[in-house]
Amino acid sequence: MLKIATRKSPLALWQAEFVKSNLESLNPGLDVELVKMTTQGDQILNSPLSKIGGKSLFIKELEVGMIEGRADIAVHSMKDVPYELPQGFEIGAILERENPFDAFVSNAFSSIEELPIGARVGSCSLRRIVQLKALRPDLVILDLRGNVNTRLKKLDDGEYEAIILACSGLIRLGFEDRIKQHLSPEVSLPAVGQGALGIEIRANDHQISSLIEPLIHTKTLNEVSAERALNASLQGGCSVAIGAFATSHGSELKLIGMVGNVSSGKILRVEELGDINKPLDLGIRTADKLLSLGARALLNET
């Protein structure tokens, strides 16, 4: 019996079921059970994550369940996993990435460019907000919390003219037809790890590690590792606007990094190339370049 800790949102359950299905198909006779938990991040819906403690609010309870033996692994969206895990935990596998880009979703308009002056757009991601304002400073950006289904309902109820979500979540839940525009990295650089699923395990749990090893997607692992190394070097969390997107090109890895500040509207953006087998070096080097351009001051501004 293998027990997977998961949040109760439709997307989190889809992700856990996806891992369950893959593990069962690779290991005939293995019985996998989902252990559904509610996290603080699911309960506090009236404030932006940047003001209530960041993305770790979505995984702490799952880690407690693993410590207490109620679960063996936890499945996360890698963009929700802090760059530094608590002692005793590690990411044991990163799966193949789904579409990593941001999605423009609207019932009346087909693109950001079509939105009328002063249109209301829903997003509480500082990364998305600073990039959106750089493109369309006239837009009114309003907070948007809740799971994917809840956010779509708020759009359908007329609270916004458009909302920005991750393409991957919409695709996984069967809402791909709601995507009106895939936002290119030039318009909206994705979050670190966006579109990738990760499996968190107890550190040095060799039995579980061996069990999930076949799920590792090396290309995605290298790309996300570079992005997370950049984030770790910048000490980025939910309260700062950081984007990163790595792509593999033969033996090379390209990493684009972005730091922004919502108050000033300033954005720093760099692009670096590195060895595909040394993603951490590339992430650190790209972060260092951002820091040399003044990223720390941007991150510390309020």
Side-chain angles (χ1 to χ4, degrees):
M1 167 72 74
L2 181 79
K3 296 183 178 181
I4 301 178
T6 176
R7 295 162 57 201
K8 296 178 181 178
S9 75
L11 182 56
L13 290 173
W14 185 97
Q15 293 171 172
E17 287 283 0
F18 180 75
V19 171
K20 176 179 185 287
S21 173
N22 275 275
L23 286 172
E24 288 177 339
S25 66
L26 288 168
N27 302 276
L30 177 67
D31 189 12
V32 182
E33 176 187 326
L34 302 190
V35 181
K36 301 169 187 174
M37 301 179 182
T38 300
T39 69
Q40 281 183 281
D42 296 311
Q43 293 174 314
I44 307 171
L45 297 175
N46 57 354
S47 297
L49 286 177
S50 58
K51 295 181 180 177
I52 59 173
K55 293 176 178 179
S56 59
L57 294 176
F58 286 120
I59 68 174
K60 184 178 178 182
E61 282 80 3
L62 308 188
E63 291 169 340
V64 170
M66 291 164 67
I67 291 172
E68 295 176 348
R70 290 181 285 125
D72 302 298
I73 66 175
V75 177
H76 307 299
S77 294
M78 283 306 298
K79 73 181 182 70
D80 289 337
V81 180
Y83 65 83
E84 189 173 24
L85 291 174
Q87 189 172 1
F89 294 97
E90 61 187 43
I91 297 299
I94 293 179
L95 285 64
E96 184 172 7
R97 200 173 210 166
E98 181 50 88
N99 184 317
F101 304 123
D102 283 334
F104 173 83
V105 182
S106 176
N107 293 325
F109 304 97
S110 61
S111 69
I112 291 176
E113 293 76 17
E114 274 192 18
L115 287 171
I117 292 173
R120 299 164 301 163
V121 179
S123 176
C124 59
S125 159
L126 298 181
R127 172 190 60 82
R128 287 173 178 154
I129 291 169
V130 73
Q131 294 182 99
L132 195 57
K133 281 187 167 291
L135 186 70
R136 288 287 307 270
D138 60 285
L139 298 175
V140 177
I141 314 297
L142 302 173
D143 282 345
L144 176 65
R145 287 288 314 280
N147 62 45
V148 173
N149 304 61
T150 300
R151 296 183 188 201
L152 289 172
K153 185 177 186 304
K154 288 181 176 181
L155 172 69
D156 294 341
D157 287 345
E159 294 184 33
Y160 314 92
E161 274 70 62
I163 59 177
I164 310 296
L165 300 174
C167 287
S168 55
L170 292 164
I171 291 168
R172 286 170 173 148
L173 290 175
F175 294 128
E176 187 169 7
D177 61 335
R178 298 296 300 263
I179 301 173
K180 291 294 178 69
Q181 183 184 20
H182 293 78
L183 302 183
S184 71
E186 291 72 34
V187 171
S188 186
L189 197 68
V192 170
Q194 186 160 306
L197 299 183
I199 300 177
E200 186 178 13
I201 64 174
R202 290 181 289 264
N204 302 313
D205 191 332
H206 302 299
Q207 184 179 357
I208 296 296
S209 181
S210 297
L211 185 69
I212 65 174
E213 186 177 3
L215 299 183
I216 295 173
H217 189 257
T218 304
K219 176 178 179 289
T220 303
L221 174 62
N222 287 332
E223 293 169 352
V224 172
S225 294
E227 295 167 13
R228 286 177 60 78
L230 175 144
N231 199 34
S233 292
L234 294 175
Q235 299 180 317
C238 245
S239 59
V240 293
I242 291 177
F245 182 52
T247 49
S248 307
H249 305 273
S251 62
E252 274 192 332
L253 200 58
K254 181 174 83 170
L255 178 61
I256 307 170
M258 182 278 295
V259 169
N261 181 274
V262 172
S263 298
S264 66
K266 293 178 184 174
I267 293 177
L268 294 174
R269 188 182 172 103
V270 302
E271 182 178 308
E272 289 286 304
L273 294 175
D275 186 331
I276 196 166
N277 296 311
K278 298 179 179 178
L280 303 186
D281 290 350
L282 176 60
I284 293 167
R285 185 155 42 86
T286 308
D288 286 345
K289 188 166 185 179
L290 283 165
L291 290 169
S292 73
L293 295 172
R296 181 60 59 209
L298 275 192
L299 294 171
N300 290 340
E301 283 178 21
T302 55

